[in-house]
């Protein structure tokens, strides 16, 4: 078995793992990144594309935002459509913050290029990853690289391999507490070669269910429909998709939705998930390995970057001074913001989606809440601060569980 050494072994080459590797190199800390999927697969995975202003600022500070600044679409508001009317939410006017629309796969491409140009040890197609000795001072990662068995001795392991990855599953039963919620509906997501019908996002509340009009570029639209939990893509031919999108999104006086070839479509279950703590021994979990939020408020990628910001600073402190305090405080620093994002994502999901039951009563409550958000300055400001990430940034860290 080939034996290698590194300071931090990073499992997962999504945005979190790649960003952590980049930040560690900036402070002189060696890492190895292992990804079980191919590079082509990782670069094509379509995920949420809304980046909060704080996320964009951090990527700029890290020297990773050149293409994002050239090609990202800057938004200063979005539109609610309900009751056959359109209501604009001017979140930049309310908070001073913008958001960028920039596909997660595009950020991943930027990160992979930066890591490759820096000569980083970034390995794809790595199956059979096994974590060992997490509760000792000498953890190790065993895997297969180019058909050859490899053992990587390291100081720490960063689990950035998502909800279904090996990292969290390597923790002994009972060492972590998990909190979960499954929502009674799902999203049918569509990527279409069609120009967006509007320059800003449209959140549409309709009697047939929620719909979202988003975009990836001036020529490519990203569209979502609320569907039943467990719904199959096979039940949604393109003609049915466009018909339902028109029904839920079109209102009198608004630009009509443009149709085009459907490039991709998939059904995504909505769920909330948090693990506490976000570490065990020498293992630190980040991003979807530690928490999942429903996509309604587009917090997933932003939460992953927030985790990595804290984790990278803690590693830097440890290697510069030997102080493990920030690493030991990693969960306490991250979890309040995670739960704040969970709360807002849950609230926004209930605000926008048609319920599975109790429909009439819920519709009246939903309408009252929407009217408050668009007509009350205090409610609008509170909503905007949550939407752009300001509320989460102001959430203080805590020492211990509630």
């Amino acid at each position: 078995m080939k034996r290698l050494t590194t300071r931090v072994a990073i499992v997962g080459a999504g945005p979190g793992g790649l960003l952590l590797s980049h930040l560690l190199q900036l402070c002189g800390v060696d890492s190895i990144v292992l990804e079980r999927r191919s590079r082509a697969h990782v670069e094509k995975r379509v995920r949420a594309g809304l980046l909060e202003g704080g996320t964009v600022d951090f990527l700029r500070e890290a020297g990773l935002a050149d293409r994002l600044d050239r090609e990202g679409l800057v938004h200063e508001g979005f539109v609610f459509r309900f009751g056959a009317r359109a209501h604009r939410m001017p979140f930049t006017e309310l908070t001073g913050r913008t958001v960028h629309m920039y596909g997660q796969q595009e950020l991943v491409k930027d990160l992979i290029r930066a890591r490759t140009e820096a000569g980083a040890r970034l390995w794809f197609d790595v199956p059979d990853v096994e974590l060992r000795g997490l509760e000792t001072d000498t953890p190790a990662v065993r895997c297969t690289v180019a058909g050859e068995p490899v053992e990587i001795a390291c100081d720490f392991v960063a689990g950035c391999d998502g909800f279904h990855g090996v990292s969290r599953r390597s923790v002994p039963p009972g060492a972590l507490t998990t909190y979960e919620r499954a929502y009674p509906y799902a999203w049918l997501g569509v990527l279409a070669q069609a120009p967006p019908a509007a320059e800003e996002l449209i959140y549409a509340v309709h009697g047939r269910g929620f719909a979202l009009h988003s975009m990836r570029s001036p020529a490519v639209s990203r569209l979502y429909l609320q569907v039943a939990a467990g719904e199959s893509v096979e039940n949604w031919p393109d003609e049915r998709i466009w018909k339902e999108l028109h029904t839920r999104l079109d209102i009198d006086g608004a630009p009509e939705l443009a149709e085009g070839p459907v490039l991709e479509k998939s059904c995504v279950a909505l769920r909330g998930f948090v693990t506490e703590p976000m570490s065990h021994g020498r293992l630190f979990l980040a991003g979807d390995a530690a928490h999942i939020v429903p996509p309604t408020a587009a917090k997933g990628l932003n939460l992953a970057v927030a985790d990595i910001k804290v984790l990278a600073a803690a590693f830097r402190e440890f290697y510069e001074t030997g102080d493990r305090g920030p690493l030991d405080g990693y969960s306490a620093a991250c979890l309040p913001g995670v739960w704040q994002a969970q709360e807002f994502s849950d609230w926004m999901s209930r605000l926008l989606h048609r319920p599975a039951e109790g429909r009439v009563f819920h519709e009246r409550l939903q309408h009252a809440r929407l009217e408050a958000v668009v007509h009350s300055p205090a409610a609008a400001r509170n909503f905007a601060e949550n939407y752009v990430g300001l509320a989460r940034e102001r959430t203080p860290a805590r020492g211990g569980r509630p």
Side-chain angles (χ1 to χ4, degrees):
M1 179 176 291
K2 185 176 181 179
R3 302 187 186 278
L4 303 172
T5 61
T6 190
R7 293 292 194 186
V8 182
I10 301 172
V11 185
L18 294 166
L19 178 59
L20 178 59
S21 178
H22 176 84
L23 296 172
L24 290 176
Q25 184 176 39
L26 292 180
C27 58
V29 178
D30 182 59
S31 68
I32 294 176
V33 183
L34 307 171
E35 169 58 49
R36 71 183 182 92
R37 301 280 195 171
S38 69
R39 176 173 177 173
H41 177 89
V42 171
E43 291 186 339
K44 289 181 180 178
R45 283 188 296 204
V46 176
R47 295 289 189 273
L50 187 150
L51 302 181
E52 297 169 352
T55 299
V56 174
D57 289 343
F58 186 67
L59 293 172
R60 286 176 181 145
E61 293 169 9
L64 296 167
D66 288 350
R67 191 162 74 96
L68 165 60
D69 282 330
R70 291 196 310 270
E71 301 179 14
L73 305 176
V74 181
H75 285 196
E76 297 183 352
F78 67 80
V79 174
F80 279 125
R81 287 186 182 176
F82 65 93
R85 292 176 294 158
H87 308 265
R88 185 171 184 268
M89 171 61 65
F91 54 72
T92 300
E93 178 183 319
L94 293 165
T95 67
R97 292 285 189 93
T98 61
V99 302
H100 278 64
M101 297 305 300
Y102 191 68
Q104 178 174 311
Q105 72 274 19
E106 301 306 320
L107 177 59
V108 167
K109 292 174 187 176
D110 297 342
L111 289 164
I112 289 175
R113 183 172 61 253
R115 295 284 67 225
T116 302
E117 291 175 353
R121 289 187 284 183
L122 168 57
W123 299 330
F124 294 94
D125 295 303
V126 179
D128 307 322
V129 172
E130 180 184 356
L131 310 186
R132 294 174 166 240
L134 296 175
E135 297 170 335
T136 73
D137 293 336
T138 56
V141 179
R142 287 191 175 181
C143 57
T144 303
V145 179
E148 182 180 11
V150 173
E151 181 175 88
I152 304 168
C154 55
D155 298 331
F156 301 98
V157 179
C160 305
D161 50 345
F163 182 80
H164 298 289
V166 69
S167 295
R168 192 180 66 256
R169 291 188 283 109
S170 298
V171 177
L176 302 176
T177 301
T178 58
Y179 304 89
E180 297 185 71
R181 178 179 181 183
Y183 289 81
Y185 35 75
W187 277 15
L188 173 68
V190 174
L191 193 70
Q193 190 71 44
E199 295 182 353
E200 297 179 332
L201 273 63
I202 301 171
Y203 293 85
V205 179
H206 192 275
R208 295 180 60 86
F210 167 70
L212 171 60
H213 176 285
S214 181
M215 63 285 296
R216 287 294 176 267
S217 75
V220 177
S221 295
R222 183 70 169 159
L223 305 141
Y224 298 93
L225 287 168
Q226 176 187 347
V227 295
E231 182 64 280
S232 172
V233 172
E234 284 69 31
N235 295 331
W236 287 86
D238 294 358
E239 182 179 357
R240 183 186 179 191
I241 290 173
W242 288 115
K243 182 179 179 181
E244 195 66 26
L245 284 167
H246 280 291
T247 298
R248 300 188 194 182
L249 285 166
D250 289 349
I251 60 174
D252 291 342
E256 186 174 348
L257 182 68
E259 297 186 17
V262 173
L263 306 176
E264 294 182 21
K265 54 185 171 181
S266 61
C267 280
V268 179
L270 271 65
R271 63 174 178 262
F273 172 88
V274 181
T275 185
E276 294 192 16
M278 291 169 55
S279 63
H280 176 74
R282 294 276 175 141
L283 170 68
F284 295 86
L285 302 172
D288 287 359
H291 42 72
I292 298 283
V293 291
T296 321
K299 297 301 180 189
L301 175 56
N302 296 287
L303 279 179
V305 173
D307 291 347
I308 296 304
K309 183 178 181 179
V310 174
L311 186 57
F315 279 135
R316 182 178 66 245
E317 183 70 16
F318 176 80
Y319 284 108
E320 288 181 354
T321 70
D323 181 7
R324 186 167 163 163
L327 283 172
D328 292 337
Y330 168 66
S331 287
C334 293
L335 282 169
V338 170
W339 280 110
Q340 193 279 335
Q342 285 283 359
E343 191 280 331
F344 180 65
S345 297
D346 177 81
W347 182 87
M348 192 168 174
S349 295
R350 289 183 287 112
L351 178 72
L352 299 176
H353 290 84
R354 175 185 175 182
E357 53 187 38
R359 179 182 168 191
V360 176
F361 189 81
H362 176 90
E363 283 181 348
R364 300 299 191 272
L365 294 178
Q366 187 179 54
H367 184 81
R369 290 166 182 156
L370 285 164
E371 290 286 355
V373 167
V374 300
H375 293 302
S376 164
R381 183 169 291 103
N382 179 68
F383 180 95
E385 289 184 355
N386 279 275
Y387 189 81
V388 302
L390 263 179
R392 190 178 70 254
E393 293 173 18
R394 295 170 178 166
T395 304
R398 60 174 167 83
R401 299 184 181 183

